[in-house]
Amino acid sequence: MTSATPAVRPRFEDKLRAIVGEAGLVTAGDEREPYEIDWLRKWRGRGSVVVRPGTTEEVAQVMRLCNEARIPVVPQGGNTGMSGGATPDDSGAQVILSTTRLRAVREVDPLNNTITVEAGVPLARVQEEADGVNRFFPLSLGSEGSCTIGGNLATNAGGIAVLKYGNTRDLALGLEVVLPDGRIWRGLRGLRKDNTGYDLRDLFIGSEGTLGIITAAVLKLFPKPAARATAWVGCAGLEQLVRLLARVRDTCGDRLVAFEMLTGPSLRLILDQVADVRNPLEGPHAYHALIEVADTRDEGLAALLERSLAQAVDDGLIDDAAIASSLSHRLSFWKIREGISQAQVRAGKAVKHDIALPVSVLPRFVEAAETAVRGVMPHAHIVNFGHLGDGNLHFNVLLPKNASAGKVAEANALLNRVVHDLVVENGGSISAEHGIGQLRRDELRHYKSAVEFDLMMTLKQAIDRNQIMNPGKLI
């Protein structure tokens, strides 16, 4: 793949400037830097220029220009990804295309329960716009003030409400996409039923910018919950939590929004590293869960959850439970759960595994994985937490804060194979919600079947014929 030579680069920049204007071009090294490093500060690259189109038509013109010149393009939204999918390589040849100027809310339709927004709109603003028409947009992430809808769609982001509402893929009805050659697919249809052939929308959701650039989307809205009930429980084992999940599902039905799990050591880590949090229960427990139910009507919701948990205590499924008695009490529960990422960063360097398995096999998987990890690393500090309700675990191993880059790389290679082999043996996925990016690219090739990988490559080659879209990511 060739890139612009130093002799023609200024002329290429002039062509970009003619498309997006001075405000849409970032060329100085110090100004480019925030776009060249991911927020985890794990991946750092060097782009040739950062281009920030302000309209879909400008994106199309930029892509047409780059495609004709065979210049690789790295699409980037809020740059909050966890897998290095939006960071350029260090060649200095790649154009970083930021969608953060595509910030229009094109339409809010409460009767159709949809909102149409451009790719650079922050997730938090979509939530606010929905709230303004007495509707609810359920996608919720720790980075929601900074992450953008385009990035959420490109990575098929998960979050804390997947159990009830699904991943970002499940929240999108239509897309507008600029293809690598600059053509625009205008698929912004707010339809729940459209049985007219291949679902092109799903090609681009989760494709991590390797097939095109999502510039706008029609998203689903929902009735706003009028009541919530939140509980924190402790028990002796993961098998009990899985059985409790089934019990709460039976009792509360689709009112169950979240069922979050963390181990006793994970809670201890949070209590040690995060200010203004405390254990909701007395005494230590091997496993904890945060459970939340919600409904559009408040008809004894808290009492329903309380009765379900009281019966679980009587049946020996859990040892203790606390029901949030106020909004501040509820938020204190969530602050604990949301503090785990911060706690890991403060305590050490984590080898992370964002995995998904059928809920029913989680207990045996965790037992086998803990044994296998300690077989190769006897004193491993395992930090196991996640979205138990949808089978998504973050099965991490915490290394010392002073661990060298070499030691971290060595531990990653060793533990990834140990954990991911077990994941695949148990019918799971090595990436549940964080995407592949650079982090899991080689692992994906190792675990994808030949047929799956061939189909992915066929699509890539058919749509991105000059192979300019986000090279080195995903595949």
Side-chain angles (χ1 to χ4, degrees):
M1 186 176 296
T2 61
S3 61
T5 66
V8 302
R9 177 179 160 183
R11 292 199 296 273
F12 181 76
E13 288 183 3
D14 288 342
K15 291 178 180 179
L16 288 175
R17 187 176 287 105
I19 296 171
V20 301
E22 198 66 47
L25 208 61
V26 181
T27 58
D30 58 337
E31 295 177 355
R32 290 200 318 264
E33 185 176 6
Y35 301 89
E36 295 175 332
I37 185 169
D38 76 305
W39 80 279
L40 291 174
R41 309 192 75 80
K42 185 173 182 178
W43 291 277
R44 182 187 294 270
R46 185 168 62 91
S48 64
V49 65
V50 178
V51 60
R52 302 173 62 235
T55 66
T56 298
E57 287 68 26
E58 288 183 1
V59 175
Q61 291 179 56
V62 169
M63 289 309 307
R64 194 173 301 119
L65 181 65
C66 291
N67 191 56
E68 290 170 354
R70 306 295 196 271
I71 293 177
V73 177
V74 178
Q76 188 178 103
N79 200 21
T80 60
M82 303 287 283
S83 301
T87 307
D89 64 18
D90 59 4
S91 68
Q94 298 180 340
V95 169
I96 302 169
L97 194 153
S98 170
T99 61
T100 51
R101 289 181 68 209
L102 302 173
R103 299 179 73 88
V105 175
R106 295 188 184 177
E107 182 184 32
V108 182
D109 186 349
L111 294 180
N112 194 45
N113 281 309
T114 55
I115 181 171
T116 305
V117 300
E118 292 185 343
V121 175
L123 172 56
R125 186 178 171 201
V126 178
Q127 297 168 345
E128 293 165 2
E129 293 284 343
D131 187 68
V133 293
N134 196 36
R135 292 294 185 267
F136 177 59
F137 185 65
L139 184 63
S140 182
L141 309 170
S143 59
E144 59 196 31
S146 304
C147 66
T148 61
I149 287 298
N152 298 151
L153 289 161
T155 57
N156 189 27
I160 61 174
V162 171
L163 177 57
K164 179 175 174 64
Y165 297 101
N167 290 307
T168 309
R169 182 186 305 278
D170 303 295
L171 302 175
L173 291 173
L175 299 181
E176 177 184 82
V177 179
V178 174
L179 300 176
D181 60 7
R183 289 179 296 162
I184 303 172
W185 172 51
R186 302 187 189 276
L188 292 176
R189 291 182 285 272
L191 303 175
R192 269 75 178 178
K193 290 184 175 181
D194 183 5
N195 197 8
T196 55
Y198 301 136
D199 191 342
L200 300 179
R201 174 200 62 180
D202 274 356
L203 284 178
F204 298 98
I205 299 175
S207 66
E208 301 188 34
T210 61
L211 299 179
I213 298 177
I214 297 170
T215 52
V218 182
L219 305 171
K220 297 177 186 176
L221 300 181
F222 296 84
K224 187 189 297 186
R228 294 181 184 272
T230 310
W232 190 281
V233 305
C235 69
L238 187 55
E239 179 69 37
Q240 287 90 329
L241 279 188
V242 169
R243 293 186 180 280
L244 177 65
L245 170 63
R247 173 79 61 86
V248 176
R249 277 185 189 273
D250 289 344
T251 304
C252 299
D254 64 2
R255 286 169 287 196
L256 180 59
V257 175
F259 198 107
E260 301 289 296
M261 178 278 291
L262 65 161
T263 60
S266 299
L267 176 60
R268 186 72 261 162
L269 180 70
I270 298 168
L271 297 177
D272 289 343
Q273 298 293 336
V274 180
D276 299 323
V277 295
R278 63 182 183 84
N279 191 340
L281 305 175
E282 293 185 3
H285 299 277
Y287 279 85
H288 296 258
L290 190 164
I291 304 167
E292 186 160 283
V293 295
D295 203 344
T296 55
R297 297 179 296 177
D298 186 5
E299 296 182 351
L301 195 62
L304 178 65
L305 180 59
E306 187 171 0
R307 286 197 302 272
S308 179
L309 295 180
Q311 186 62 53
V313 171
D314 291 343
D315 293 344
L317 285 181
I318 59 177
D319 300 323
D320 199 2
I323 306 285
S325 58
S326 64
L327 175 60
S328 62
H329 198 187
R330 169 183 176 261
L331 294 178
S332 73
F333 288 174
W334 278 108
K335 184 175 181 179
I336 297 170
R337 170 60 182 86
E338 292 165 353
I340 186 65
S341 296
Q342 180 186 18
Q344 289 182 103
V345 170
R346 289 179 175 177
K349 297 177 180 177
V351 177
K352 297 185 176 183
H353 304 103
D354 166 40
I355 57 179
L357 296 112
V359 173
S360 57
V361 308
L362 287 175
R364 76 164 182 257
F365 164 80
V366 168
E367 181 179 5
E370 289 181 346
T371 299
V373 166
R374 292 202 165 95
V376 298
M377 193 177 289
H379 303 294
H381 183 179
I382 296 173
V383 182
N384 182 15
F385 65 98
H387 317 293
L388 185 71
D390 56 54
N392 177 192
L393 295 185
H394 299 288
F395 189 88
N396 302 340
V397 177
L398 195 64
L399 305 179
K401 202 170 181 66
N402 62 357
S404 67
K407 286 292 186 183
V408 173
E410 182 183 338
N412 264 293
L414 176 65
L415 295 175
N416 284 349
R417 188 51 46 88
V418 168
V419 173
H420 289 160
D421 279 355
L422 282 170
V423 169
V424 174
E425 286 173 18
N426 284 276
S429 167
I430 66 168
S431 178
E433 62 179 354
H434 291 164
I436 298 298
Q438 302 176 59
L439 177 66
R440 299 280 179 242
R441 181 193 59 212
D442 297 337
E443 291 284 289
L444 184 74
R445 183 181 289 272
H446 180 79
Y447 290 108
K448 278 286 186 186
S449 73
V451 172
E452 285 178 299
F453 201 82
D454 183 61
L455 286 171
M456 290 175 65
M457 289 301 299
T458 299
L459 289 169
K460 170 72 170 171
Q461 291 163 359
I463 297 172
D464 182 19
R465 294 176 183 175
N466 291 325
Q467 301 294 291
I468 67 167
M469 297 302 304
N470 215 8
K473 319 293 172 42
L474 186 60
I475 55 176

